[in-house]
Amino acid sequence: MYKPKTLFEKVWDSHVVLEREGEPTLLYIDLHLVHEVTSPQAFEGLRLANRTVRRPDLTFATIDHNIPTTSDERFHIKDQIAAQQIATLRRNCAGAGIPLFDVGSGRQGIVHVIGPELGLTQPGMTVVCGDSHTSTHGAFGALAFGVGTSEVEHVLATQCVSQKKPRSMRIGISGALPDGTSSKDLILEIIRRLGTDGGTGHVIEYAGEAIRGLTMEERMTMCNMSIECGARAGMVAPDETTFAYLDGRPYAPPGEAWDKAIARWQPLATDEGAHFDKDITIDASHLAPIVTWGTNPGMSAPITATVPGPDNAQDESERNAILAALDYMGLQPGTRIEDIALDRVFIGSCTNGRLEDLRSAAKVLRGYKVHNRVTVLVVPGSEAVKQAAEREGLDSIFTEAGAQWREPGCSMCLGMNPDILAPKQRCASTSNRNFEGRQGRGARTHLVSPAVAAAAAVAGHFVDVRGWEYRK
Amino acid sequence: MEPFRSHRGIVAPLHRENIDTDQIIPKQHLKRIERTGFGTYLFSDWRYHPDGSPRHDFVLNQEHYRSATILVAGKNFGCGSSREHAAWALSEFGIRAIIAPSYADIFRINAGNNGLLLIEAAGTTVQRIAAQAQARPPYELTIDLENQTIADGDGLSERFEIEPFRRHRLLHGLDEIGMTLTHEAEIARFEAAVLRCTPSQGYSNLGTAT
């Protein structure tokens, strides 16, 4: 008798190379994405052990973490150590025959933006990358997760990973997202409810009517931040929205192969009656825009709320965590979120650096000027996103409002390039992590959606974007 | 990889939960192309003032903890970024084992690949060890991986659980790639059995699944 399976189990089971009692499973990897920061030691390890790259044809590289976002400096990097890391990637890719989407190629960008937009990421695949936000690719019904550098080396050498099978969790989202909210608010709400370790050891499938109604880019934002509640991966079952997104992309199957691919992808849904280790339902219809106030992505509140205090803690350890976060963030309990004043706004990253994100921010900014105290950085997720945005004239909306329109890369999401905050500067950021020092030593990060970030840029403080007066 | 059998060392307490890898090794130190040179930057934003001088309020800068080889910390240690530099920095500093109620998934794998033992202990045990390490430094523990015990020679003697395969790898310092390459035949058979194409032809493996 056929045992009903979850989407995750279908993808997992079809990639098992070897399974032995008491050992991790050897799992085949269909797509390995590589970038400059977590790969040099892996290639070096291969060389030292006299090993080669098994499947350069299933491996693709780009430059994103280190790259400066000004048009002249991206080709003439002043930071010599960063430049060396990038030169090393170029040399390693050339040596192994790995395609590299280099700066200026028209295809460079944040690794989790270009995989989908080039059609490399496809339903039912296994995808890994030496970056925790690899979970992004799960939006296509792929099993995608971040790995460390030793595992990058392992995949280069064997095209497999050795993994213990994660448990499964379904988060069903009922209702539809209210106007003025986005999938960023939804995933921040989920992380707040689950906590930063609520998903540990699990692969999450996002399901339900609200998810079906999301675009691919919105689904990517959700899967992207699955790691922020500790989950191994996030997944959404592929549907017509997925197929329409992929159709005609450079690496999507062409012609007859496309029809065959659709036939293979269609059964990729959780079977009726399949078992999940955890099953949660969340009603999205009362969702509000969410703002983080603390130093991990679970420390957040609706925009209409106030900053919590130690009295809101469940135990001593949470109390200490709240006190440490408030101290680092320079916030007082009871302060209205809307009264928090900002110095900087960052719109970009693998979470919210895609075309729809830029459209959403531009829609808010159109006809407005950013507050004179606030510096706004808009960093498209890829060269393709940048070109598409410019074709629509989004760049003019940003620059006319007084924002800086930059070149693609990870930029201020993690500040490995020159885009960092000064100590104690406060930033509304569309990125994924508000850890201490993430955007610069002593820097204070508030995670928000692109629309909330744009509204905050104009007002100089957080505002409830649901009441925004859009201008033509 | 250096095998881990038994280890005796000084314990340093980090009274925090959710210690993320951005704290363990901040991003400004991730630009090296070698696996070495990260120990100096372990916890660097907590350990040093902006001018580079040591912060005396940070535990690893204090006299009795400077040579600590065991950390005790709150739940969800190692969350966030996948950077293995975190495991490299800890190992290079001299940390051989961590005791905490839980760990993030990727960090757990990275630690295993670098011979760093992660002990998952009950919250009460973690608190007891942290309190001892705080109250009477230098507080030493003996960790015996063979017998899965931690003991302080002064009343504390507890067994810890660890997945048998993880324990086996640590005990023998086994290289995972070497182990996987012994299954070359299975990998090749898998590749041949499922029609595997280049990306533009569409990857296809689900057609033959189950």
Side-chain angles (χ1 to χ4, degrees), chain A residues 15 28 30 41 54 79 85 149-150 153-154 196 201 251 254 264 317 414 416 436-438 440-441, chain B residues 16-18 22-23 27 30-31 34-35 45-46 48 84 105 165 180 184 191 196 199-200 203 205:
Chain A
H15 288 81
Y28 201 82
D30 294 320
Q41 294 87 353
R54 183 183 181 92
D79 178 345
Q85 214 168 39
T149 298
S150 293
E153 184 180 337
H154 189 279
T196 49
Y251 285 89
R264 271 199 322 275
S317 135
L414 84 165
M416 273 196 77
E436 285 183 26
R438 176 79 178 178
R441 187 178 177 141
Chain B
R16 274 201 186 225
E17 39 184 58
N18 297 312
D22 275 79
Q23 305 318 314
K27 77 296 185 138
L30 302 183
K31 295 173 189 169
E34 301 86 13
R35 275 175 198 257
D45 285 1
W46 290 349
Y48 307 108
E84 194 164 318
D105 291 328
F165 187 75
T180 299
E184 168 60 33
E191 284 178 326
R196 228 152 246 296
S200 61
Y203 299 80
N205 53 318

Side-chain angles (χ1 to χ4, degrees), chain B residues 186-207:
Chain B
E186 284 93 340
I187 300 172
R189 207 178 306 135
F190 184 87
E191 284 178 326
V194 272
L195 178 66
R196 228 152 246 296
C197 313
T198 57
S200 61
Q201 292 166 293
Y203 299 80
S204 66
N205 53 318
L206 287 160

Side-chain angles (χ1 to χ4, degrees), chain B residues 153-200:
Chain B
D154 188 23
L156 179 114
S157 177
E158 288 208 16
R159 190 180 153 81
F160 63 88
E161 295 307 317
I162 181 169
E163 289 163 77
F165 187 75
R166 195 180 297 276
R167 174 174 168 274
H168 173 74
R169 265 193 74 200
L170 282 164
L171 281 174
H172 300 283
L174 296 175
D175 161 32
E176 193 172 45
I177 299 178
M179 291 163 76
T180 299
L181 286 173
T182 63
H183 300 303
E184 168 60 33
E186 284 93 340
I187 300 172
R189 207 178 306 135
F190 184 87
E191 284 178 326
V194 272
L195 178 66
R196 228 152 246 296
C197 313
T198 57
S200 61

Side-chain angles (χ1 to χ4, degrees), chain B residues 60-159:
Chain B
L60 294 178
N61 287 331
Q62 294 164 2
E63 193 192 340
H64 294 303
Y65 302 108
R66 234 170 252 147
S67 51
T69 55
I70 300 167
L71 292 180
V72 58
K75 66 163 186 155
N76 201 26
F77 187 95
C79 60
S81 161
S82 64
R83 59 188 71 165
E84 194 164 318
H85 311 65
W88 299 334
L90 286 161
S91 293
E92 196 173 308
F93 180 86
I95 303 299
R96 298 294 318 277
I98 302 173
I99 302 170
S102 63
Y103 302 89
D105 291 328
I106 306 178
F107 178 74
R108 185 194 291 271
I109 294 170
N110 289 342
N113 282 330
N114 287 278
L116 178 63
L117 172 64
L118 305 185
I119 296 177
E120 210 167 309
T124 47
T125 305
V126 170
Q127 279 162 17
R128 180 172 168 190
I129 293 170
Q132 292 284 353
Q134 186 73 45
R136 48 177 190 114
Y139 174 68
E140 292 196 7
L141 279 181
T142 301
I143 298 171
D144 182 343
L145 181 58
E146 194 102 52
N147 295 304
Q148 296 176 227
T149 55
I150 31 178
D152 67 357
D154 188 23
L156 179 114
S157 177
E158 288 208 16
R159 190 180 153 81

Side-chain angles (χ1 to χ4, degrees), chain A residues 329-399:
Chain A
M329 294 296 288
L331 291 172
Q332 295 297 324
T335 304
R336 292 175 63 233
I337 299 280
E338 289 195 86
D339 289 342
I340 299 174
L342 298 153
D343 308 299
R344 303 283 288 259
V345 169
F346 170 63
I347 296 170
S349 86
C350 59
T351 310
N352 282 130
R354 300 182 179 80
L355 187 59
E356 288 174 13
D357 301 313
L358 301 184
R359 281 181 187 151
S360 162
K363 189 177 157 200
V364 171
L365 281 175
R366 182 194 287 274
Y368 286 95
K369 294 278 182 211
V370 304
H371 192 278
N372 57 19
R373 196 188 52 243
V374 183
T375 305
V376 182
L377 214 61
V378 186
V379 183
S382 70
E383 292 181 352
V385 168
K386 180 166 189 277
Q387 287 157 14
E390 288 174 353
R391 278 197 298 275
E392 294 182 13
L394 301 184
D395 56 326
S396 324
I397 297 175
F398 290 122
T399 52

Side-chain angles (χ1 to χ4, degrees), chain A residues 197-429:
Chain A
D197 59 354
T200 303
H202 289 78
V203 169
I204 299 175
E205 179 178 346
Y206 301 101
E209 129 199 34
I211 301 299
R212 290 292 128 224
L214 297 180
T215 66
M216 286 315 295
E217 300 195 0
E218 291 168 326
R219 295 177 191 181
M220 282 188 247
T221 302
M222 302 221 24
C223 289
N224 172 278
M225 287 193 73
S226 302
I227 181 73
E228 308 310 335
C229 62
R232 202 73 186 91
M235 298 178 90
V236 174
D239 57 13
E240 291 306 321
T241 306
T242 319
F243 308 148
Y245 176 97
L246 281 170
D247 195 2
R249 302 253 162 200
Y251 285 89
E256 212 177 298
W258 174 255
D259 298 329
K260 285 187 187 159
I262 296 275
R264 271 199 322 275
W265 295 340
Q266 252 151 358
L268 287 169
T270 291
D271 297 326
E272 188 74 35
H275 170 78
F276 286 90
D277 297 301
K278 278 191 194 171
D279 209 341
I280 298 166
T281 305
I282 290 177
D283 178 8
S285 53
H286 303 293
L287 185 70
I290 305 288
V291 179
T292 65
W293 53 266
T295 51
N296 72 50
M299 292 173 153
S300 70
I303 199 155
T304 48
T306 57
V307 173
D311 297 345
N312 299 80
Q314 310 278 337
D315 56 39
E316 186 61 21
S317 135
E318 191 187 352
R319 186 186 156 83
N320 292 339
I322 292 176
L323 286 172
L326 292 176
D327 179 52
Y328 181 86
M329 294 296 288
L331 291 172
Q332 295 297 324
T335 304
R336 292 175 63 233
I337 299 280
E338 289 195 86
D339 289 342
I340 299 174
L342 298 153
D343 308 299
R344 303 283 288 259
V345 169
F346 170 63
I347 296 170
S349 86
C350 59
T351 310
N352 282 130
R354 300 182 179 80
L355 187 59
E356 288 174 13
D357 301 313
L358 301 184
R359 281 181 187 151
S360 162
K363 189 177 157 200
V364 171
L365 281 175
R366 182 194 287 274
Y368 286 95
K369 294 278 182 211
V370 304
H371 192 278
N372 57 19
R373 196 188 52 243
V374 183
T375 305
V376 182
L377 214 61
V378 186
V379 183
S382 70
E383 292 181 352
V385 168
K386 180 166 189 277
Q387 287 157 14
E390 288 174 353
R391 278 197 298 275
E392 294 182 13
L394 301 184
D395 56 326
S396 324
I397 297 175
F398 290 122
T399 52
E400 280 164 21
Q404 299 176 30
W405 177 245
R406 293 292 190 91
E407 299 292 329
C410 298
S411 181
M412 208 191 272
C413 173
L414 84 165
M416 273 196 77
N417 75 346
D419 306 337
I420 56 167
L421 301 175
K424 298 193 175 177
Q425 273 194 331
R426 192 180 293 287
C427 180
S429 179

